[in-house]
């Protein structure tokens, strides 16, 4: 499932991703699968009003995040498979959602799986939800497999989503690379910034 904001740049990005992901001819040429065994085609994106940039007069972020989570669950109504979901939107909408989904990680996982910076143009973030139970029921007779919409509705209320990968659109270091490059620091101590990050002396004086 692919949901996109209605702005032209988001719609064009979703269309471009769909064009680049249509590799059925490559798979057939390589003989990796017969035509009948190919995975289902890359779906067309659906416009989602909840992903549009919040109105200037709205100062509350929480309703926008709630609207987005509800829109994802509703878009999966009738789907039996708990498929992956891609959201294509501007940084403001996605940063608000990411901050909520990623805020409750256990302390031991924060160093590796927490978002530690802003999103830039062209960035992509792969998230993994906490473990959910697909089959529920108190007794064997009551057991049932929950549909995708119900699973996603519960998952998007959790705050323990993990950042698995961050790809930047402008060549800057990803969150994971930035963490790997930074030396470990002890609480209460500070280390000087590397020379490459320090301001020139003239600028330092001005500031």
């Amino acid at each position: 499932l692919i949901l996109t904001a209605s702005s032209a740049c988001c719609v064009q990005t979703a269309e471009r991703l769909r064009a680049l992901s249509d590799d059925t001819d490559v798979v057939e040429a390589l003989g990796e699968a017969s035509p009948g065994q190919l995975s289902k085609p890359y779906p067309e994106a659906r416009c989602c009003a909840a992903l549009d940039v919040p109105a200037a007069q709205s100062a509350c972020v929480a309703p926008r995040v709630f609207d987005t989570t509800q829109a994802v669950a509703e878009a999966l109504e009738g789907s039996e498979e708990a498929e992956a979901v891609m959201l294509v939107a501007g940084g403001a909408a996605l940063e608000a959602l990411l901050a909520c989904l990623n805020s409750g990680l256990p302390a031991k996982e924060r160093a590796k799986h927490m978002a530690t910076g802003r999103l830039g143009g062209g960035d992509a973030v792969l998230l993994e939800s906490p473990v959910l139970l697909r089959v529920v029921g108190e007794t064997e007779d009551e057991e049932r497999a929950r549909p995708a919409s119900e699973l996603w509705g519960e998952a998007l209320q959790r705050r323990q989503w993990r950042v698995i990968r961050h790809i930047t659109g402008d060549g800057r270091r990803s969150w994971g690379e930035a963490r790997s490059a930074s030396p470990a620091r002890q609480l209460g101590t500070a280390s000087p910034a590397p020379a490459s990050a320090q301001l020139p002396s003239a600028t330092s004086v001005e500031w």
Side-chain angles (χ1 to χ4, degrees):
L1 173 69
I2 304 171
L3 299 178
T4 177
S6 59
S7 62
C9 60
C10 292
V11 173
Q12 291 170 4
T13 298
E15 292 174 348
R16 179 62 174 161
L17 289 171
R18 184 169 190 259
L20 292 174
S21 300
D22 184 14
D23 56 358
T24 53
D25 54 338
V26 177
V27 175
E28 290 181 12
L30 294 175
E32 296 179 0
S34 63
Q37 295 175 323
L38 292 175
S39 60
K40 58 184 178 182
Y42 197 80
E44 292 187 18
R46 306 183 198 173
C47 283
C48 176
L51 291 174
D52 290 334
V53 178
Q57 65 270 21
S58 175
C60 187
V61 173
R64 302 297 307 185
V65 174
F66 177 77
D67 290 346
T68 302
T69 60
Q70 289 293 101
V72 172
E74 290 173 3
L76 286 164
E77 288 286 352
S79 176
E80 295 298 327
E81 296 297 326
E83 54 190 309
V85 174
M86 177 187 291
L87 304 180
V88 182
L94 295 182
E95 282 181 343
L97 178 61
L98 178 59
C100 293
L101 294 179
N102 193 227
S103 62
L105 280 178
K108 61 182 180 180
E109 294 190 22
R110 292 174 187 169
K112 186 176 181 181
H113 296 295
M114 179 165 273
T116 55
R118 301 294 303 272
L119 292 174
D123 281 16
V125 180
L126 176 63
L127 298 176
E128 181 182 69
S129 76
V131 176
L132 301 172
L133 296 177
R134 181 71 187 270
V135 178
V136 294
E138 295 295 332
T139 65
E140 184 175 347
D141 293 335
E142 296 176 350
E143 283 187 356
R144 65 181 181 86
R146 295 194 290 173
S149 58
E150 186 177 330
L151 280 174
W152 275 93
E154 179 186 342
L156 292 172
Q157 295 178 30
R158 303 289 188 90
R159 300 183 300 116
Q160 297 84 29
W161 286 67
R162 303 191 304 163
V163 174
I164 301 302
R165 190 170 184 187
H166 172 225
I167 302 173
T168 61
D170 58 4
R172 71 188 191 284
R173 288 189 303 186
S174 66
W175 298 329
E177 292 171 337
R179 282 192 290 261
S180 300
S182 300
R185 297 184 180 181
Q186 295 182 348
L187 186 63
T189 64
S191 58
S196 59
Q198 294 176 354
L199 295 171
S201 56
T203 308
S204 298
V205 172
E206 292 173 5
W207 280 101

